Amino acid sequence: MKQILMGNEAIALGLIHADVDVVSGYPGTPSSEILTNYQKLKDKLNLTAYAEWATNEKVGYEVAYANAMSGKNSCATMKQVGLNVASDALMSSAYIGNIGAMLLISADDPGFYSSQTEQDSRTFAKFARIPVLDPASPQEAYDFVKLGVEISRKFESPFMLRPVMRVGHARGICEVEENHEFNPPKANFIKNTNRWAGVPPGPRSVQGGELLNKVEQIRDYNLQTFISPKIAELKGAKTLCISSGVASTYVREAIEENKLDAEVLKLDMPYPLPYHKLNELCKSYEQVIIFEEPYPCIEEQLNAPNLLGKFSGHVHQIHEFSKEKVIESFKKARLFNDSNPYQASKFNAHSIASRPPTLCPGCPHRDVFYAMTRTFRSKNSIYVSDIGCYTLGLNQNAIDSFLCMGASVSMASGFSLAHPEKTVISTIGDSTFLHSGVTGLINAIYQKHKFILLIMDNSIAAMTGRQTTPERSNPENIDIKRIVEGCGITCHEYVYKPDMNKTLDFMKELKEIYKTSDMPIVAVIREFCVLDKERSNKLLPHKLVSVDSDKCVECDTCISKYKCPPMSYGENHKVEIDPFLCAGCAACIDGLCPTDAFVLADLGEEK
């Protein structure tokens, strides 16, 4: 049966058709839609299956892995930077192995489109010594999930699927199974302390040896199942291009469209590779070029003398692939001598006004950042933030640094030690605080580090698609204020109002408390996301604002510091409000403009 599916939809359907009945993960672009679609399919088909958003990637992996130890088919989803968080569990699980299937889906982001690093999950699979499949299309993503379940059960090893953004967010026609009877295996945990609790060095040393044996068996499986049939189809051109995933599609199209004397060997499983066989194959070609994105995972495993790639400087080393870049590599390898047919004409950046990333109109984060920077001046403060929508506070000059999920709290500790003369203010969202910020707070209280922590709680993981957070799903039992108080300190609370004077007053209160404290000052600010219809419809006043041009003195406060998108200078050099962009929060009316130029719009006159 044929269906048009987005890659992440195809993966979710593949999980159902592979009889995976436990999926746990943490949202992160480009992986978020996998779990969301699995939940939709589970409900639509009325399946007895379990899907959850975990508090972080490590937790998600461990929940899924325990099920795989019990013989069930399970899956953990995340993006590539989330794999760093789950890596501790991954490395140990590779040694211990599993009885059922353990799928790790780590979605990569070559090109940094929504990530702070470009790291390659294939190299992480190599580091952990587990097999990895690299799909090039939604169809392959669907097929490889089912294959991965077989591989994981066959070799009793965790298995990784590594889709990139161009697979997860692409749409394509997929041939999928029809009328699948969902029949996941039952749980049956068999106690075996030497295996499941292998204490070093004895049992773990044995498992280490077994892991190496598994790698060799999977290497041979890779050769027999995936690679040998493809080698048999090669026709013997002068140049061989070895590639995997989406990169192979660019290479194949560039060769075919320019009728070049080259052919492609696409590796579906880039680790572990049968390197002896591949090195021998390379010798039968004049030259071999390895194309992969973004890291040299394949290239590191081969050592034939005629290899060209990232190490030789023939292939670019950063950012995602394109046919233009493939042709540039061919020119360096003297396979192509004409001008690059894919080279885009020069873009005139001056024709379009620069538009930096910014918070949505009506977002309460904007008011908090504005009040924060006005109360704690930049010259005397250090602003540390985290990963999430509030990263967009950069546009308001409210962030000096951010590192990774949850790091803002620990970094605030560090900055407070380095600069005791300055006020350090850390900002973090609710999902990120529960993900990994809380451990930093415990350390800060433990060590008595002095800084201000603002937890901006909109009870949703807004940037990745508004997934539910723990306190949103279970407010009776999980509450950030009580978590902070459980660490032994006061948690100050502010229920956000779209009134700048009230937000400023709260910041001034924190400033006074900070003066006499020798501990972290923590505040939870109860907000909402303007895209969260369930809450914003109730909490937004829906009052449109206009500008009294007689009062506007062009002081630039609203344009250069508050930076709400509907605000701009009109033809008369006075500030104007674009009614099509205004969310109706009316937060700018009180406390923002020094001359009170913002007023409620007279909708009657506009008619």
Side-chain angles (χ1 to χ4, degrees), residues 67-80:
N67 279 271
M69 291 167 72
S70 301
K72 294 171 74 68
N73 291 341
S74 59
C75 173
T77 69
M78 59 198 69
K79 66 181 298 183
Q80 91 281 16

Side-chain angles (χ1 to χ4, degrees), residues 339-443:
S339 59
N340 194 326
Y342 307 113
Q343 190 167 25
S345 57
K346 286 188 177 179
F347 175 68
N348 183 3
H350 299 293
S351 62
I352 299 176
S354 174
R355 200 171 53 168
T358 186
L359 293 160
C360 299
C363 176
H365 290 349
R366 174 176 287 101
D367 291 23
V368 173
F369 279 131
Y370 178 78
M372 182 188 86
T373 53
R374 198 164 134 180
T375 307
F376 302 96
R377 298 291 182 174
S378 177
K379 185 179 179 181
N380 302 316
S381 307
I382 296 176
Y383 310 133
V384 196
S385 196
D386 226 294
I387 308 298
C389 286
Y390 35 89
T391 305
L392 300 172
L394 280 166
N395 194 31
Q396 291 174 267
N397 299 319
I399 295 175
D400 292 318
S401 175
F402 63 86
L403 183 65
C404 60
M405 290 288 284
S408 64
V409 188
S410 306
M411 289 180 71
S413 284
F415 280 120
S416 71
L417 294 172
H419 294 279
E421 78 282 6
K422 294 197 173 187
T423 305
V424 179
I425 305 113
S426 166
T427 49
I428 190 170
D430 52 305
S431 181
T432 314
F433 176 72
L434 295 172
H435 175 284
S436 49
V438 66
T439 48
L441 176 61
I442 292 169
N443 183 65

Side-chain angles (χ1 to χ4, degrees), residues 50 231 275 278 290 323 327 347 462:
Y50 179 79
I231 290 178
Y275 46 85
L278 289 172
I290 300 179
K323 286 193 283 188
I327 289 295
F347 175 68

Side-chain angles (χ1 to χ4, degrees), residues 16 38 41-50 182:
I16 299 289
Y38 183 88
L41 286 168
K42 176 179 78 73
D43 294 340
K44 179 182 176 183
L45 301 173
N46 195 27
L47 302 179
T48 303
Y50 179 79
F182 189 62

